[in-house]
């Protein structure tokens, strides 16, 4: 025997409490629940007014609307009358009162029989404008079968908390989706903007993704590098080392290896592969950071050559310094010898000289000895020239420049006889007095004045 269960649903906990179990057929016969229409009252009205049924009908926390077979509301319980006043509700079609998107009973019944869950969730709810509460609408047909309908029972369950919770969850999901989208964009920006090549490798050792820098390093188009074996990016001699490194690495570990990278045209270049591994949902994913170190190697070679050259220069400088020190020692020994064997004896003779002429002779000899110590150097001293006076030195410079005696007289504003006297004294001091075949200009041209 079929039964109709009137139930009170506690929304917060999801529990259902069975309030009434009645014979479906008997209810259909004596329970065609219709109110008074005008002054007439149907025979089964008294049956419905049974105290037990009425108490259940009035005390349930759900909103209950009862209609006739045309969908016209004939009765509401106490909870429903608080939301739907009797004066505006009784005698009105339920789809209008409940603001359903339909215009007749058939459309309303079709709405409740739809199998589309999205449409059901949207259309089978009622929102109270005054309280902003949301109710789920449940429609029960009263009668023996669909062809003989005695009316309809509409039960409205308060699902405001569920709706609010769903709205909050949808907002949270939207915010997290937005945050995830931002994170993905930032990660993609970093992934593409890093200055080194980044390659992602799956468990088949095939490239599943790479940034633009990695494609530039190996000269491969982004579409062609996807699916390539990681070992195809290095020389044959390095493949075993790469596979050993990737197979033996564990999480939170970073390994690096210097390999010979292969360009798209099979040309080689020095490279460094830095490998790390992560586990995503039980699957391993290798992160390979590739770096072209050609410039670094060139710089290292250049620095090595410069270091060799610097060492060679240092050796040469040490040898030069050693030679200079040797020459300085020779000069020091030579100077010591000259002082001990030549200068000091002359000083003794000067001290013991009895006449000015002898003393002057010794002094001149000492001067020649001192000047001889500078022989062979850039600052070599000509002792004979140091015997000349300032005026005589000026005349020597004019003679060396090619001036005649008359031109020297005019330039120095001296008398011709005075210039001639100076020339005689110069020849005498330079030891040229008796050498008529040696000109003064020829002598001075080989001297440093």
């Amino acid at each position: 025997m079929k039964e109709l269960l009137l139930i009170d649903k506690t929304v917060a906990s999801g529990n259902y409490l069975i309030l009434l179990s009645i014979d479906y057929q008997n209810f259909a016969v004596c329970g065609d629940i219709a109110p008074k229409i005008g002054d007439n009252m149907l025979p089964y009205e008294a049956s419905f007014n049974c105290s037990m049924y009425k108490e259940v009908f009035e005390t349930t926390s759900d909103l209950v609307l009862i209609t006739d077979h045309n969908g016209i509301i004939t009765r509401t319980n106490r909870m429903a009358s608080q939301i739907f006043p009797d004066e505006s509700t009784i005698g009105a079609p339920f789809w209008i009162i409940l603001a359903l998107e339909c215009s007749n009973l058939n459309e309303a019944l079709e709405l409740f029989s739809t199998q589309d869950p999205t449409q059901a969730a949207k259309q089978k709810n009622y929102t109270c404008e005054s309280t902003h509460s949301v109710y789920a609408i449940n429609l029960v047909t009263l009668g023996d079968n669909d062809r003989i309908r005695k009316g309809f029972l509409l039960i409205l369950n308060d699902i405001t908390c569920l709706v609010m919770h769903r709205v909050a969850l949808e907002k949270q999901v939207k915010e997290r989706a937005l945050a995830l989208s931002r994170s993905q964009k930032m990660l993609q920006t970093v992934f593409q903007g890093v200055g080194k090549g980044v390659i992602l490798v799956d468990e088949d050792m095939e490239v599943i993704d790479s940034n633009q820098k990695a494609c530039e390093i190996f000269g491969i188009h982004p579409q062609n590098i996807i699916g390539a074996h990681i070992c195809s990016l290095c020389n044959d001699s390095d493949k075993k080392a790469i596979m050993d490194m990737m197979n033996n690495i564990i999480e939170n570990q970073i390994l690096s290896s210097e390999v010979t990278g292969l360009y798209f045209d099979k040309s080689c270049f020095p490279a460094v592969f830095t490998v790390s591994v992560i586990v995503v949902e039980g699957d391993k994913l290798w992160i390979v950071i590739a770096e072209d170190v050609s410039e670094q190697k060139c710089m290292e070679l250049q620095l090595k050559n410069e270091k060799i050259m610097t060492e060679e220069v240092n050796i040469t400088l040490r040898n030069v310094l050693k030679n200079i020190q040797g020459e300085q020692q020779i000069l020091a020994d030579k100077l010591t010898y000259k002082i001990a064997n030549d200068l000091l004896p002359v000083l003794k003779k000067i001290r013991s000289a009895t006449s000015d002429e002898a003393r002057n002779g010794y002094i001149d000899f000492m001067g020649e000895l001192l000047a001889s110590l500078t022989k062979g150097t850039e600052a070599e001293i000509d002792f004979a020239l140091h015997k000349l006076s300032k005026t005589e030195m000026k005349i020597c410079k004019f003679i060396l420049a090619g001036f005649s005696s008359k031109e020297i007289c005019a330039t120095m504003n001296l008398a011709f006889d005075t210039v001639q006297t100076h020339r005689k004294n110069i020849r005498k001091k330079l030891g040229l007095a008796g050498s008529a075949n040696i000109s003064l200009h020829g002598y001075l041209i080989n001297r440093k004045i």
Side-chain angles (χ1 to χ4, degrees):
M1 179 179 294
K2 297 181 180 178
E3 292 183 342
L4 170 66
L5 302 180
L6 298 181
I7 58 175
D8 183 10
K9 177 183 177 183
T10 304
V11 176
S13 62
N15 296 326
Y16 292 85
L17 175 63
I18 300 178
L19 297 180
L20 179 62
S21 177
I22 60 177
D23 186 289
Y24 188 102
Q25 293 179 349
N26 291 338
F27 189 86
V29 173
C30 65
D32 188 5
I33 307 169
K36 295 178 181 179
I37 301 177
D39 295 331
N40 298 322
M41 184 174 180
L42 299 177
Y44 46 84
E45 181 68 18
S47 176
F48 180 77
N49 286 332
C50 173
S51 61
M52 183 179 67
Y53 293 166
K54 186 175 182 179
E55 183 179 355
V56 172
F57 181 70
E58 294 295 343
T59 59
T60 179
S61 61
D62 293 332
L63 310 184
V64 182
L65 306 176
I66 300 176
T67 76
D68 61 11
H69 66 281
N70 292 320
I72 305 302
I73 299 174
T74 60
R75 183 182 294 276
T76 61
N77 69 345
R78 181 179 57 84
M79 294 298 295
S81 63
Q82 296 177 5
I83 304 300
F84 307 106
D86 290 344
E87 59 272 14
S88 61
T89 303
I90 302 301
F94 72 84
W95 56 86
I96 295 179
I97 296 300
L98 299 180
L100 300 177
E101 294 184 2
C102 51
S103 58
N104 54 55
L105 178 60
N106 291 332
E107 291 181 2
L109 295 178
E110 184 180 354
L111 173 65
F112 281 93
S113 64
T114 180
Q115 298 299 321
D116 188 351
T118 59
Q119 184 179 3
K122 180 179 180 182
Q123 299 294 335
K124 295 181 183 179
N125 290 341
Y126 170 74
T127 303
C128 180
E129 296 182 356
S130 59
T131 63
H132 301 290
S133 298
V134 181
Y135 298 89
I137 305 172
N138 300 302
L139 185 144
V140 179
T141 302
L142 302 177
D144 292 338
N145 49 54
D146 292 338
R147 291 179 296 174
I148 304 176
R149 291 195 298 260
K150 300 297 183 179
F152 301 96
L153 181 67
L154 292 107
I155 304 173
L156 280 68
N157 307 122
D158 189 346
I159 59 170
T160 306
C161 292
L162 291 177
V163 172
M164 292 178 62
H165 185 60
R166 183 186 67 187
V167 172
L169 287 178
E170 289 177 351
K171 182 180 179 181
Q172 187 176 9
V173 169
K174 185 177 180 181
E175 291 176 351
R176 290 186 177 181
L178 183 61
L180 179 61
S181 177
R182 286 198 298 263
S183 298
Q184 288 176 341
K185 289 181 180 179
M186 292 175 61
L187 180 61
Q188 187 66 19
T189 300
V190 174
F191 183 69
Q192 293 295 338
V194 69
K196 297 180 181 179
V198 181
I199 303 172
L200 303 182
V201 181
D202 62 10
E203 292 186 338
D204 295 329
M205 297 301 167
E206 293 181 352
V207 178
I208 60 174
D209 198 2
S210 69
N211 64 350
Q212 184 63 34
K213 185 62 177 180
C215 298
E216 294 175 359
I217 290 176
F218 297 98
I220 304 176
H221 192 275
Q223 295 180 351
N224 295 333
I225 198 172
I226 303 299
H229 198 281
I230 186 63
C231 291
S232 66
L233 303 178
C234 63
N235 203 10
D236 292 340
S237 59
D238 298 314
K239 290 181 179 180
K240 184 178 183 304
I242 293 296
M243 293 303 299
D244 291 342
M245 181 170 58
M246 298 183 70
N247 290 328
N248 297 328
I249 194 171
I250 60 176
E251 280 192 283
N252 301 321
Q253 186 180 18
I254 298 176
L255 298 178
S256 294
S257 178
E258 189 171 318
V259 300
T260 301
L262 288 181
Y263 206 60
F264 76 99
D265 59 357
K266 301 304 179 182
S267 59
C268 299
F269 62 91
V272 173
F273 280 14
T274 303
V275 180
S276 59
V277 64
I278 59 175
V279 179
V280 181
E281 297 180 354
D283 297 329
K284 284 187 177 182
L285 180 67
W286 285 267
I287 303 173
V288 180
I289 299 178
E291 184 179 5
D292 185 351
V293 293
S294 299
E295 294 184 2
Q296 180 180 342
K297 289 296 182 181
C298 290
M299 293 180 63
E300 290 178 355
L301 181 61
Q302 183 178 356
L303 289 175
K304 184 177 180 179
N305 293 334
E306 290 180 355
K307 183 178 180 181
I308 295 174
M309 292 178 62
T310 302
E311 291 178 353
E312 292 177 352
V313 170
N314 288 336
I315 294 173
T316 302
L317 290 176
R318 284 195 294 268
N319 292 332
V320 171
L321 181 60
K322 186 176 180 180
N323 293 334
I324 291 174
Q325 292 175 346
E327 292 177 356
Q328 288 178 342
Q329 186 62 41
I330 294 173
L331 290 175
D333 294 342
K334 182 178 179 181
L335 181 60
T336 301
Y337 179 82
K338 287 283 186 180
I339 292 173
N341 295 279
D342 295 333
L343 296 180
L344 292 179
V346 172
L347 287 176
K348 290 181 180 180
K349 291 181 179 180
I350 292 173
R351 185 180 295 112
S352 61
T354 56
S355 63
D356 293 337
E357 184 178 358
R359 185 178 296 108
N360 291 334
Y362 288 133
I363 292 174
D364 290 340
F365 179 70
M366 178 176 285
E368 292 178 357
L369 288 176
L370 292 173
S372 65
L373 296 177
T374 64
K375 188 175 182 180
T377 65
E378 293 183 358
E380 183 177 352
I381 298 174
D382 192 334
F383 181 73
L385 294 176
H386 280 267
K387 296 179 181 180
L388 303 179
S389 65
K390 293 182 178 180
T391 303
E392 292 171 345
M393 285 294 295
K394 288 181 179 180
I395 293 174
C396 286
K397 291 179 179 180
F398 284 123
I399 294 172
L400 186 60
F403 282 59
S404 63
S405 296
K406 292 182 178 180
E407 291 173 337
I408 295 173
C409 292
T411 303
M412 298 185 65
N413 196 20
L414 296 175
F416 181 79
D417 292 338
T418 302
V419 172
Q420 290 296 103
T421 301
H422 281 304
R423 290 176 69 100
K424 290 180 181 179
N425 291 332
I426 291 170
R427 291 182 67 86
K428 181 179 179 181
K429 291 180 179 180
L430 296 179
L432 302 176
S435 303
N437 56 339
I438 300 176
S439 65
L440 191 57
H441 179 271
Y443 177 84
L444 294 174
I445 201 171
N446 296 319
R447 297 291 186 275
K448 294 181 179 180
I449 300 178

